[in-house]
């Protein structure tokens, strides 16, 4: 019997941002805590961080920087949304980030329908977010698109059908997008439970095994670098 991983691996030609950009123009991007500490990179200033992304892309002659699945980061230390004094720190990223300019088109990964959407407004959160529902070979699963423009939520309705490759949104600017340098947070979710318009994109160390299973590596679907 097929697993969700099997189904994801069978999909081809999947893109979630600007279909005109070839995967050969993508470059891997390391935002792990160890690496950003070495760089002495200020992650709290979205403008400086955007400049850093642009310099990185230029240096690598690339158009999109990608990465971050199961990466332990310092990026979330600035927000109480991830650092409640009474709880274990959440600092392990469980989606894939695609770093490119605000206004870039965001595309539906697969045929499906809009499950839910909302503006998640805490500092460091997703900002405007859309979640799609997909059914393939009897499997129902979800894809999440975070850090969008506010206009991306206009005219949306739950149950609205979408086609693979259809433009569903655009990337937002800080501070609307959660106050980050512009990028897409893309995540696959097996069981979304009762959540709507939101789902954890960062977890604590003790939760990694659960989220690794419930949120498989998005690159199984995208196949950016094979």
């Amino acid at each position: 019997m097929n697993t969700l991983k099997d189904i994801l691996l069978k999909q081809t030609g999947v893109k979630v941002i600007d279909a005109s950009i070839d995967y050969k123009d993508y470059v891997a991007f390391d935002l792990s805590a160890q690496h950003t500490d070495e760089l002495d990179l200020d992650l709290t200033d979205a403008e400086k961080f955007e400049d850093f992304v642009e310099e990185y892309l230029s240096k690598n002659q690339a158009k999109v920087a990608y990465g971050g699945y199961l990466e332990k980061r310092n990026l979330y230390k600035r927000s109480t949304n991830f650092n409640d004094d009474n709880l274990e720190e959440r600092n392990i990223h469980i989606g894939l980030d695609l770093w490119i300019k605000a206004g870039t088109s965001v595309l539906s990964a697969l045929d499906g329908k809009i499950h839910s959407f909302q503006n998640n407004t805490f500092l460091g959160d997703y900002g405007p977010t859309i979640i799609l529902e997909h059914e393939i070979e009897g499997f129902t699963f979800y894809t999440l698109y975070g850090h969008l423009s506010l206009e991306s939520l206009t005219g949306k309705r739950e149950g609205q059908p979408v086609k693979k490759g259809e433009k569903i949104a655009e990337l937002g600017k800080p501070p609307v997008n959660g106050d980050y340098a512009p990028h897409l947070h893309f995540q696959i979710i097996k069981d979304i439970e009762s959540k709507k318009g939101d789902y954890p994109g960062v977890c604590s160390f003790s939760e990694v095994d659960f989220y690794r299973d419930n949120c498989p590596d998005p690159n199984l679907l995208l196949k950016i670098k094979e």
Side-chain angles (χ1 to χ4, degrees):
M1 181 178 174
N2 281 336
T3 65
L4 177 56
K5 180 178 178 180
D6 294 329
I7 290 169
L8 297 174
L9 285 170
K10 283 196 282 186
Q11 308 309 308
T12 59
V14 179
K15 288 189 176 178
V16 290
I17 57 170
D18 191 344
S20 70
I21 303 176
D22 196 283
Y23 279 153
K24 67 179 176 56
D25 292 319
Y26 283 48
V27 64
F29 195 35
D30 181 0
L31 287 180
S32 65
Q34 179 178 351
H35 189 228
T36 55
D37 280 348
E38 289 171 358
L39 294 174
D40 194 24
L41 181 61
D42 182 3
L43 300 171
T44 66
D45 187 317
E47 186 175 337
K48 288 181 181 177
F49 190 34
E50 185 171 2
D51 289 343
F52 174 76
V53 173
E54 289 297 319
E55 288 172 12
Y56 184 81
L57 290 171
S58 177
K59 182 176 70 174
N60 287 278
Q61 297 182 302
K63 297 178 180 178
V64 180
Y66 76 97
Y69 181 66
L70 296 185
E71 191 171 70
K72 181 180 178 182
R73 294 174 167 177
N74 288 331
L75 194 54
Y76 313 108
K77 290 184 178 297
R78 61 182 176 148
S79 175
T80 56
N81 194 37
F82 305 99
N83 294 283
D84 188 307
D85 288 341
N86 299 314
L87 298 172
E88 185 181 0
E89 180 181 2
R90 294 192 297 132
N91 58 9
I92 299 174
H93 189 252
I94 48 178
L96 183 79
D97 283 338
L98 301 162
W99 302 84
I100 189 173
K101 289 183 179 296
T104 299
S105 296
V106 176
L107 316 174
S108 173
L110 301 161
D111 291 351
K113 62 183 180 181
I114 294 179
H115 170 269
S116 52
F117 54 94
Q118 72 179 24
N119 189 9
N120 298 290
T121 57
F122 285 112
L123 175 67
D125 209 328
Y126 291 129
T129 307
I130 296 173
I131 298 175
L132 303 183
E133 180 177 331
H134 313 278
E135 185 176 347
I136 300 177
E137 296 183 24
F139 271 87
T140 299
F141 61 99
Y142 306 84
T143 52
L144 181 150
Y145 308 76
H147 310 303
L148 310 176
S149 69
L150 194 55
E151 294 78 10
S152 297
L153 304 186
T154 301
K156 297 295 190 292
R157 59 177 174 82
E158 291 185 8
Q160 181 178 336
V162 295
K163 301 298 289 183
K164 176 182 175 179
E166 178 183 340
K167 180 179 175 179
I168 57 169
E170 292 183 350
L171 292 185
K173 300 177 182 178
V176 169
N177 71 355
D179 202 39
Y180 292 103
H183 71 289
L184 176 69
H185 174 100
F186 177 65
Q187 187 168 334
I188 299 169
I189 305 162
K190 278 203 297 191
D191 181 4
I192 204 166
E193 303 165 60
S194 60
K195 294 181 169 58
K196 284 195 166 191
D198 191 18
Y199 190 85
V202 182
C203 73
S204 64
F205 178 77
S206 65
E207 300 170 314
V208 167
D209 288 343
F210 170 79
Y211 283 108
R212 182 190 287 115
D213 178 67
N214 201 47
C215 299
D217 185 351
N219 206 37
L220 295 170
L221 178 60
L222 299 184
K223 304 171 182 66
I224 294 171
K225 302 287 185 180
E226 297 185 86

